[in-house]
Amino acid sequence: MSTPPETLTLRRPDDWHLHLRDGAPMASVLPWTARQFARAIVMPNLKPPVTTAAQALAYRQRILDALPAGSDFEPLMTLYLTDNTPPEEMARARAAGVVALKLYPAGATTNSDAGVTDVRRTYRTLEAMQREGLLLLVHGEVTDAEIDVFDREAVFIERVMAPLRRDFPDLKVVFEHITTKDAADYVAAADARTAATITAHHLLYNRNALFVGGLRPHWYCLPVLKREEHRRALVRAATSGSPRFFLGTDSAPHAATLKEQSVCGAGCFTAPAALELYAEAFEDAGALDRLEGFASLHGPAFYGLPLNAGTVTLRRTPWTLPDTLDFGNAAIKPLRGGETLRWKLD
Ligand code: DOR
Ligand code: ZN
């Protein structure tokens, strides 16, 4: 048997799905991402959402202004697609450097009230996106109250994703943070213009994690963790070497006081140890050699962006992730806080 490696060096990776928020909370979580990733796709679900090119440019500047001195981190901006996003805005978005629009079905998740009520209402805008080469990033869950929460992703594929692919074959679509075998199989079998991001927490945990020793709000995200068979399918997809699957943390910070409530918002804050968590998942699958493709190569290829220069190194060094971190004037609890992690970023 070969001895497990002590270090792991990767081309500098990117995070293809990230929530940074705004203001002081943003300034406190941003360094966690910037120390690991060269670029990140920044989600637009602020309050109010980022719906115009001008708003995206202003948000981008606030992020750049909040970066630690010397950081060359590059935020890749997105717009929040609504029923009323004007097709004309797509050329302005492209000119402003916006790379994608995010489709939130109305009511599906955190700050999704302004989301899309019926995808057909957005068809003229999707046509303009296809023309401008903007990507569509999809939160793939139906919101129909009659559909079981654990089935919402699978139902989304037949009701929304399949018709969308048929009607816009040239649009590049990322099925974000997939959580089921259904979605992994769908993306693996789709054409080369369909890809998916996968979070570290969906690779490492099944839905039991929500209930260990009691109800655990910091493990609640959307789409919610699924059964073990789905987790395994995600691990197979992520470690398959297929360029359709790449890293997107969906790190989604919420103040601890708001998570630890009778009603808690969805989102797992994984940015502080994102690469370390992915390395655990890939090592457990015997696929550490596939992590670089997933974290650093497949995303840029799909987005049509250059690979990053430079490398990052992970070291096999047990360390304890702090239980609580700063979040503006509040506190935040990272996923796995207070626990020992196997890998540590240099
Ligand atoms: O868990 C989630 N949190 N899922 C989402 O889709 C949104 C995100 C957030 O913004 O907190
Ligand atoms: Zn997200």
Side-chain angles (χ1 to χ4, degrees):
M1 244 179 75
S2 59
T3 47
E6 286 303 311
T7 65
L8 181 63
T9 296
L10 311 174
R11 184 185 285 271
R12 231 172 133 205
D14 303 298
D15 183 350
W16 298 98
H17 186 126
L18 175 67
H19 298 268
L20 282 176
R21 315 305 187 204
D22 209 346
M26 179 261 283
S28 59
V29 297
L30 176 62
W32 294 113
T33 291
R35 66 192 276 273
Q36 304 171 60
F37 297 105
R39 298 169 291 201
I41 289 281
V42 179
M43 287 295 135
N45 62 332
L46 304 182
K47 281 188 210 167
V50 179
T51 54
T52 67
Q55 288 167 346
L57 278 177
Y59 184 30
R60 177 173 180 276
Q61 192 58 49
R62 294 197 295 280
I63 296 168
L64 293 176
D65 291 345
L67 277 171
S71 172
D72 63 354
F73 173 78
E74 187 188 350
L76 301 172
M77 306 312 291
T78 63
L79 299 188
Y80 186 116
L81 183 67
T82 73
D83 286 351
N84 305 311
T85 303
E88 307 79 62
E89 190 66 13
M90 298 305 96
R92 287 191 285 274
R94 173 107 186 124
V98 167
V99 296
L101 276 84
K102 177 71 188 281
L103 163 58
Y104 289 103
T109 186
T110 309
N111 300 345
S112 64
D113 301 349
V116 170
T117 60
D118 180 344
V119 180
R120 279 166 299 193
R121 298 212 166 136
T122 68
Y123 266 30
R124 286 183 52 240
T125 301
L126 297 182
E127 273 160 26
M129 286 171 57
Q130 193 168 255
R131 245 187 346 264
E132 297 294 340
L134 293 164
L135 281 79
L136 180 67
L137 315 181
V138 178
H139 182 109
E141 288 190 289
V142 294
T143 54
D144 191 336
E146 272 146 47
I147 306 292
D148 189 283
V149 166
F150 292 93
D151 297 333
R152 288 182 181 183
E153 189 171 280
V155 174
F156 184 89
I157 295 171
E158 62 175 76
R159 286 199 194 164
V160 185
M161 199 58 136
L164 187 69
R165 290 285 42 180
R166 186 192 60 221
D167 295 342
F168 295 94
D170 293 333
L171 190 63
K172 283 191 187 171
V173 176
V174 184
F175 200 154
E176 297 291 340
H177 44 54
I178 59 169
T179 63
T180 57
K181 178 173 188 303
D182 311 68
D185 289 348
Y186 173 81
V187 171
D191 73 18
R193 290 179 179 272
T194 307
T197 53
I198 308 181
T199 77
H201 44 292
H202 288 96
L203 291 174
L204 287 167
Y205 303 103
N206 64 35
R207 64 193 193 178
N208 288 354
L210 281 160
F211 306 106
V212 176
L215 190 57
R216 297 203 295 171
H218 298 286
W219 298 73
Y220 173 60
C221 65
L222 285 171
V224 70
L225 294 168
K226 303 293 192 301
R227 284 180 179 279
E228 176 64 5
E229 65 185 281
H230 294 293
R231 187 193 70 82
R232 287 189 189 196
L234 298 175
V235 169
R236 280 196 301 276
T239 61
S240 67
S242 163
R244 304 294 182 71
F245 299 102
F246 41 84
L247 184 157
T249 62
D250 197 19
S251 178
H254 293 258
T257 49
L258 294 180
K259 286 294 265 181
E260 295 164 2
Q261 284 275 352
S262 55
V263 174
C264 109
C268 297
F269 179 47
T270 53
L275 273 181
E276 288 94 334
L277 294 174
Y278 279 108
E280 275 190 19
F282 273 67
E283 181 166 44
D284 290 347
L288 268 184
D289 57 327
R290 295 269 167 91
L291 182 57
E292 185 175 46
F294 180 79
S296 315
L297 308 179
H298 303 166
F302 190 78
Y303 273 80
L305 293 170
L307 299 180
N308 298 315
T311 58
V312 294
T313 296
L314 291 160
R315 214 164 282 281
R316 190 182 299 282
T317 308
W319 64 291
T320 304
L321 180 64
D323 175 59
T324 303
L325 297 166
D326 287 337
F327 190 52
N329 292 326
I332 190 163
K333 297 200 178 162
L335 198 82
R336 287 279 290 274
E339 293 182 33
T340 302
L341 301 183
R342 194 187 307 165
W343 290 94
K344 191 168 200 311
L345 189 70
D346 264 4

